Amino acid sequence: MSAHLQLQDIGCEKGQQPLFSGLDYSLAKGELLHVAGENGSGKTTLLRILAGVNRDYSGNVLWNGENIRTHWPVYAQDILYIGHQPAIKAQLTARENLLWYAHCVGATATQASAALSDMGLRNKADIPCHQLSAGQQRRVVLARLIFSQQALWILDEPLTALDAKGFEPILQCLRNHLQRGGITVMTTHHGMEKINLPHRQLLLGDA
Amino acid sequence: MNILLATFHREWQLAWRNLADAVNPVAFFLMVIALVPLGTGTDKTLLAAIAPGILWVAALLASLLSVDMLFRRDYDDSTLEQYLLLPDCLYGIVWIKVLVHWLFSGLPLVLISPLLGMMLSLPPVAMPVLMLSLALGTISLSLIGAIGAALTVSLRRGGLLIAVIVLPLYIPVLIFGASATAQAAGGIFPAGQLAILGACALFALGLSPLVVMAGLKNALES
């Protein structure tokens, strides 16, 4: 897969205060970027900009050389964005939630079931998600990674509430993804040591 | 297409599991109509005269009551961001969301309206037109209401603001709907009013999702 992400002079304001400015960065295939910084330094904002959800910024984001503002539909197909909040429906079961995401990326129901089993949710697949714990809900969301074919993963605090057992398949997924030539941009407060993959770090706030 | 089918299926499931949401507008509609004779007295000619107007105003307010929740949950659990990442399907997704919302909030109003018409002594001959005009009208109301819902979804307390945005746009639907019903009660088939209500519904079916899409994109940029 072709994958090249470039940030050109990205800046963003919150209220009247500049959150960050003049960010230049380039990521090639197979690279993992850890966006670090204190609370409120703009990590989530930067990830939302990269995901194309927040368009209120200056500068350009280029994906394979094309500006994502003008080539949005193409770019949107290439990214998988998992935000701070789980984006699952509490009234639906884990299986129903994941099936919709599977349909959206052209994966099959079998793949969705297999992904739930991989995440250790085989026995919990048909329980409404509001009855699951925070960690189990996180597993449901992250199961999307297992059948994802997208080249760019944007993960905001994916490891929150996740225990060691849920962490293992995710690590495997990340490794495979990077080996395939995918790019990952993620934030995490803990566990970059646990992930133990070669990565680069972008420190927000301090600079 | 597959994505849209899956979205329809999911919205349908969610609507069944949040059935209490659908009960509210119907209960409101029912209560208003049940209380009117208690306020005005049971003079049948008086009730029959005001029935079209009262039925339509109550249906309109019931529709307004339910539209606030249209995108609220999707915004709160950030499903809305995921919709935005399906740009080719966004129009269809909005359309499906409003359609399912109408099936669970507008259609029940249409179905119980003959019963409520009877409670207000509306002549039986007017019932088919009452139902048809409400069906066409509530589709328009849901689609127009969706615009207000999209524009106010990022505000914590957007309830009153929705009413301010949406009510002026509701008024033509109310005028033609009530007038159609009143004319039918007088024994004349209101072809003109029904045609205009149909045109309003088609117009809203085509254009409202575009405005809603813009509103939702805007809501997420903060």
Side-chain angles (χ1 to χ4, degrees), chain A residues 151-194:
Chain A
L152 173 59
W153 289 0
I154 300 167
L155 313 175
D156 196 354
E157 294 287 345
L159 308 177
T160 308
L162 205 64
D163 60 11
K165 219 169 167 187
F167 179 72
E168 201 45 51
I170 292 311
L171 187 60
Q172 191 56 44
C173 267
L174 257 179
R175 207 176 279 138
N176 292 342
H177 176 65
L178 298 173
Q179 258 164 21
R180 281 201 302 264
I183 297 178
T184 303
V185 179
M186 64 183 286
T187 63
T188 177
H189 278 296
H190 44 77
M192 222 46 210
E193 321 78 56
K194 274 201 291 181

Side-chain angles (χ1 to χ4, degrees), chain A:
Chain A
M1 63 179 84
S2 71
H4 182 248
L5 182 70
Q6 197 176 357
L7 279 63
Q8 287 180 336
D9 195 25
I10 300 292
C12 187
E13 289 180 349
K14 203 147 220 175
Q16 299 297 318
Q17 297 282 322
L19 204 51
F20 46 75
S21 61
L23 280 183
D24 286 297
Y25 219 84
S26 180
L27 283 167
K29 55 199 290 186
E31 284 196 297
L32 168 63
L33 176 66
H34 175 214
V35 179
E38 291 173 15
N39 294 137
S41 60
K43 300 186 295 292
T44 294
T45 306
L46 178 62
L47 260 57
R48 281 168 55 88
I49 288 173
L50 292 182
V53 180
N54 184 348
R55 291 165 202 231
D56 189 16
Y57 62 94
S58 60
N60 294 312
V61 180
L62 304 185
W63 174 246
N64 294 331
E66 314 269 26
N67 193 325
I68 66 166
R69 286 186 205 261
T70 50
H71 289 73
W72 168 241
V74 181
Y75 178 66
Q77 288 199 332
D78 277 346
I79 63 174
L80 180 143
Y81 169 62
I82 295 182
H84 210 64
Q85 250 154 6
I88 56 174
K89 293 288 173 194
Q91 298 88 353
L92 297 183
T93 67
R95 190 190 307 280
E96 288 161 346
N97 267 300
L98 199 60
L99 258 178
W100 183 73
Y101 283 114
H103 282 303
C104 286
V105 296
T108 63
T110 330
Q111 280 174 297
S113 294
L116 283 171
S117 302
D118 288 353
M119 294 304 293
L121 290 166
R122 186 194 292 272
N123 298 325
K124 307 279 181 192
D126 297 306
I127 297 175
C129 280
H130 63 79
Q131 291 177 23
L132 299 178
S133 73
Q136 284 170 326
Q137 291 190 11
R138 184 52 68 172
R139 288 188 190 201
V140 176
V141 184
L142 291 174
R144 290 173 63 192
L145 297 178
I146 294 174
F147 51 72
S148 164
Q149 297 295 321
Q150 282 103 334
L152 173 59
W153 289 0
I154 300 167
L155 313 175
D156 196 354
E157 294 287 345
L159 308 177
T160 308
L162 205 64
D163 60 11
K165 219 169 167 187
F167 179 72
E168 201 45 51
I170 292 311
L171 187 60
Q172 191 56 44
C173 267
L174 257 179
R175 207 176 279 138
N176 292 342
H177 176 65
L178 298 173
Q179 258 164 21
R180 281 201 302 264
I183 297 178
T184 303
V185 179
M186 64 183 286
T187 63
T188 177
H189 278 296
H190 44 77
M192 222 46 210
E193 321 78 56
K194 274 201 291 181
I195 285 181
N196 198 21
L197 290 169
H199 65 269
R200 293 160 71 190
Q201 194 179 57
L202 173 60
L203 190 62
L204 291 179
D206 249 8

Side-chain angles (χ1 to χ4, degrees), chain B residues 64 141 144-149 161-171:
Chain B
L64 184 65
L141 297 182
I144 296 168
I147 296 174
L161 195 57
I162 281 201
V164 173
I165 294 171
V166 152
L167 274 180
L169 300 169
Y170 274 9
I171 285 170

Side-chain angles (χ1 to χ4, degrees), chain B residues 92-117:
Chain B
I93 289 174
V94 168
W95 213 81
I96 285 168
K97 281 198 70 76
V98 180
L99 183 74
V100 173
H101 179 263
W102 177 78
L103 285 176
F104 280 80
S105 66
L107 191 59
L109 301 183
V110 176
L111 295 178
I112 62 160
S113 63
L115 178 72
L116 301 187

Side-chain angles (χ1 to χ4, degrees), chain A residues 48 51 53-55 72-73 76-77 79 81 85 87-89 91-93 96-97 100-101 103-104 144, chain B residues 2-3 6-7 10 13-14 17-18 74 76-79 81-88 220-222:
Chain A
R48 281 168 55 88
V53 180
N54 184 348
R55 291 165 202 231
W72 168 241
Q77 288 199 332
I79 63 174
Y81 169 62
Q85 250 154 6
I88 56 174
K89 293 288 173 194
Q91 298 88 353
L92 297 183
T93 67
E96 288 161 346
N97 267 300
W100 183 73
Y101 283 114
H103 282 303
C104 286
R144 290 173 63 192
Chain B
N2 202 3
I3 299 179
T7 306
R10 186 163 102 135
Q13 282 176 323
L14 279 169
R17 285 175 211 182
N18 294 322
D74 285 342
D76 287 343
D77 64 22
S78 75
T79 305
E81 295 179 345
Q82 301 294 331
Y83 289 153
L84 224 59
L85 294 176
L86 300 164
D88 295 338
L220 290 173
E221 275 175 20
S222 53

